[in-house]
Amino acid sequence: MQHIEVNHVSLVYDTPGGKVPGVDDVSFTMAPSEFLCLVGPSGCGKTTLLNIIAGFLSPVAGEIRIGGNAVNGYGQDRGIVFQDFAQLFPWRTALGNVTFGLEMKGVAKAEREAIALEQLKLVKLDKFAHSYPHHLSGGMQQRVAIARALAYNPAVLLMDEPFAALDALTRDDMQRLLADVWRETRKTVIYVTHNVAEAVFLADRVIVMTPHPGRVKAEVRISLPRPRDPLSVEFLEYQKALLRHLSEPSRADAQ
Amino acid sequence: MTPATVRTRSAGRAAVTIIGALAIYEVVARAGIFPAALLPTIPAVVKTLWTMLADGTMVKHAMSTLLRVLFGFSLAAALGLPLGILMARFRPVEQFFMPLVSVLMPIPSLAWVPVFILWFGLGNTTTVLVVFYAATFPMLLNTWSGVRSVNPLWLRAASAMGASGQSLFWKVIIPGASPFIITGLRQAFLRSWVAVVGAEIIAASAWGLGWVIFDAKEFLNADIMMASLAVIGIIGFFFERVVFGTAERATILKWGMVRAARG
Ligand SMILES: Nc1ncnc2c1ncn2[C@@H]1O[C@H](COP(=O)(O)OP(=O)(O)O)[C@@H](O)[C@H]1O
Ligand SMILES: [Mg+2]
């Protein structure tokens, strides 16, 4: 059975300057526990698509189904991690941030703190449970955000370029950590990036989008054993294949 | 540096500034440019202040003024905070009240004193209302801005985690707006404190720091005026630094939502 179905989804932004297409007729499906990367040039509509799946935006056409049910608004079946470090609540400690979703579910204090601590351990931040976000580095804040999105145990994890604002070394660490977290939690993950190496490192399957307005241009399955070696020949071959898809003009443009 | 040493140093710097200013005053007062009755020396002012403290009159004046401020300030908070929040959250409320706010806000609170005297006579009602008028707008406007400037990412993240209605309001919007709300309270207190003294000069009878200054003028008691001004300054300083400073350190400074003030 498919876990997520995206069927002919389109969205148009109404702006003072006129109508701006966000995404155009996007379709794909995902199996449970699959790790999917959405790759495309900046402005092609990756964030828009993720926000539609998250339920923050309603598509003008098409529909999204998760576990067979049509998505209508946001829900606790999906956890979300944004690119911006400012997504954490500055008035709550790392632990307080991670307990938030459980608090909303009505889980008792002692229990939710125990769960949150487990999640922080998963992202190797249990020592910083009582720190406020402004005392944490960017990479640590993003790890708290991942723990926060996982804590209330959603089946789907949506991530919008969570590591794009980090320096290259930290980003490599974060990718390895995320691969470990995914292996342990087996969530269905949609991960947006414009970094081809990141996609090859993390994904079971990569969807390449056309430049604005975004359409699905190609799908590439990454059949490499994990953990992946970014210096292996096969890894570089996949990178090249994705880059080729990104740089060649799409058929629609050529017409 | 620990926060405690930072605070000690900041208090030290404040002391240097104030002692310097007092020293300049003392030099001018002793130079004999102005008659001593008009510009009393600091020891003379301190002596008067001491006498007034000892016989309890200064405490009673200060308490009268402070109570008027706290009363008017509380009324203003009871109106300004909820209305600011409602205006930020609900378009019709904003559309209804915004013109009213824009018209009323530029009117100096002291301009209302004669009107209030006409309606309510001399005394507490008038002075409290003036404080209320002065304090409402800073609270209302800051709260309104604060709620509107809550990071949309926090709202999205919270909604995705199941927050809505009450929980979204109390656990995200209010703490998210807190830097503005605290600034609003702080400005409102300062405006209240300025307004109450003005209102007392015109409208108080027998008690209050503003009244005592005005009354002392009749008898050319510059030392009493200076002593009262000092008390006004000291109480204002206490609220600004100690009360609001502590509130900030316990919240938005601890959360890193604003940086620490220097000096
Ligand atoms: N809130 C918005 N209002 C109007 N246009 C928008 C808005 N958000 C995004 N867009 C437009 O939609 C397109 C896709 O944006 P986005 O989804 O953010 O792209 P990406 O995440 O791939 O960089 C862009 O052309 C952008 O200008
Ligand atoms: Mg984006």
Side-chain angles (χ1 to χ4, degrees):
Chain A
M1 203 200 89
Q2 297 300 341
H3 189 191
I4 300 180
E5 298 165 59
V6 176
N7 296 326
H8 304 288
V9 165
S10 300
L11 184 135
V12 179
Y13 286 106
D14 248 327
T15 68
K19 292 196 184 299
V20 181
V23 287
D24 184 27
D25 193 23
V26 172
S27 300
F28 60 84
T29 58
M30 285 179 73
S33 298
E34 189 175 3
F35 198 123
L36 180 86
C37 276
L38 284 176
V39 182
S42 202
C44 75
K46 305 183 293 294
T47 296
T48 305
L49 183 58
L50 206 72
N51 280 333
I52 297 171
I53 298 171
F56 295 129
L57 300 172
S58 305
V60 292
E63 64 159 9
I64 313 258
R65 285 180 174 273
I66 296 181
N69 303 314
V71 163
N72 181 20
Y74 33 79
Q76 285 200 319
D77 57 340
R78 284 150 284 162
I80 297 156
V81 180
F82 303 98
Q83 175 179 346
D84 196 339
F85 302 160
Q87 66 192 296
L88 295 183
F89 306 131
W91 56 90
R92 284 176 166 242
T93 59
L95 189 73
N97 269 279
V98 179
T99 55
F100 191 91
L102 295 162
E103 204 174 319
M104 295 302 118
K105 268 189 167 175
V107 177
K109 190 170 184 334
E111 191 188 342
R112 66 181 186 242
E113 290 190 345
I115 297 173
L117 213 52
E118 278 303 308
Q119 298 301 327
L120 283 171
K121 211 171 269 167
L122 193 65
V123 296
K124 304 194 170 66
L125 277 181
D126 40 321
K127 283 196 194 64
F128 294 89
H130 299 287
S131 301
Y132 284 93
H134 73 117
H135 286 135
L136 302 176
S137 70
M140 291 158 96
Q141 292 186 37
Q142 291 307 76
R143 279 188 275 162
V144 175
I146 293 170
R148 183 173 78 169
L150 290 171
Y152 51 97
N153 201 23
V156 179
L157 191 58
L158 306 173
M159 308 179 86
D160 190 359
E161 308 202 36
F163 307 142
L166 298 171
D167 64 87
L169 286 177
T170 313
R171 190 162 57 224
D172 290 348
D173 286 343
M174 292 293 127
Q175 288 165 8
R176 276 193 292 275
L177 182 116
L178 179 62
D180 291 346
V181 167
W182 175 72
R183 200 186 55 230
E184 284 197 31
T185 59
R186 303 306 296 179
K187 302 290 178 196
T188 306
V189 181
I190 303 184
Y191 186 104
V192 163
T193 179
H194 59 247
N195 182 330
V196 166
E198 186 168 66
V200 177
F201 186 79
L202 290 170
D204 292 322
R205 191 156 51 106
V206 180
I207 288 188
V208 181
M209 292 177 72
T210 61
H212 178 89
R215 265 168 269 131
V216 175
K217 183 174 190 190
E219 270 190 44
V220 179
R221 184 164 292 281
I222 312 286
S223 327
L224 288 176
R226 297 170 186 266
R228 290 173 180 163
D229 176 8
L231 297 177
S232 69
V233 176
E234 297 85 347
F235 194 99
L236 296 175
E237 285 303 325
Y238 275 115
Q239 258 183 277
K240 274 192 225 160
L242 289 181
L243 284 172
R244 262 197 304 277
H245 283 301
L246 280 168
S247 58
E248 81 188 11
S250 68
R251 249 175 291 130
D253 289 344
Q255 278 169 5
Chain B
M1 278 194 298
T2 67
T5 54
V6 171
R7 278 206 294 287
T8 316
R9 288 197 183 185
S10 147
R13 279 194 298 270
V16 168
T17 309
I18 288 165
I19 290 169
L22 289 176
I24 292 169
Y25 174 92
E26 187 67 6
V27 167
V28 175
R30 284 183 188 270
I33 309 167
F34 304 102
L38 298 186
L39 199 66
T41 61
I42 290 170
V45 174
V46 170
K47 191 159 157 283
T48 305
L49 181 58
W50 180 247
T51 319
M52 292 178 78
L53 282 173
D55 67 12
T57 50
M58 186 55 92
V59 177
K60 197 161 174 198
H61 286 304
M63 283 311 291
S64 307
T65 302
L66 202 54
L67 281 177
R68 286 172 184 139
V69 166
L70 293 182
F71 208 73
F73 183 84
S74 307
L75 285 179
L79 176 73
L81 299 180
L83 190 56
I85 291 166
L86 290 174
M87 280 171 58
R89 300 280 290 164
F90 301 105
R91 181 73 44 85
V93 182
E94 187 174 29
Q95 283 167 347
F96 180 81
F97 282 102
M98 214 44 222
L100 204 61
V101 170
S102 307
V103 170
L104 291 178
M105 196 173 46
I107 305 175
S109 50
L110 286 186
W112 286 99
V113 176
V115 182
F116 290 160
I117 291 177
L118 207 61
W119 292 345
F120 307 107
L122 298 179
N124 287 334
T125 311
T126 294
T127 41
V128 166
L129 279 177
V130 170
V131 170
F132 167 71
Y133 194 91
T136 298
F137 296 108
M139 283 195 215
L140 188 138
L141 287 180
N142 279 291
T143 307
W144 177 59
S145 306
V147 172
R148 282 183 308 147
S149 67
V150 168
N151 188 341
L153 217 48
W154 298 336
L155 299 176
R156 281 199 167 180
S159 309
M161 288 188 280
S164 63
Q166 292 267 322
S167 54
L168 190 67
F169 180 78
W170 290 108
K171 291 179 192 235
V172 182
I173 294 174
I174 292 296
S178 57
F180 283 81
I181 294 175
I182 289 179
T183 303
L185 292 173
R186 197 173 198 155
Q187 279 182 6
F189 188 85
L190 201 66
R191 298 267 189 92
S192 308
W193 198 235
V194 171
V196 77
V197 173
E200 284 177 344
I201 286 177
I202 313 174
S205 43
W207 293 106
L209 293 168
W211 178 83
V212 79
I213 292 173
F214 199 68
D215 189 57
K217 192 196 80 167
E218 304 285 311
F219 307 97
L220 286 179
N221 286 331
D223 52 341
I224 295 183
M225 296 163 94
M226 287 301 176
S228 307
L229 286 174
V231 172
I232 291 171
I234 289 164
I235 296 177
F237 184 87
F238 171 80
F239 271 89
E240 174 65 20
R241 286 299 178 98
V242 180
V243 177
F244 289 105
T246 306
E248 262 190 8
R249 276 194 298 279
T251 55
I252 53 182
L253 263 177
K254 185 170 86 176
W255 304 332
M257 294 174 81
V258 295
R259 74 157 180 76
R262 308 206 178 92

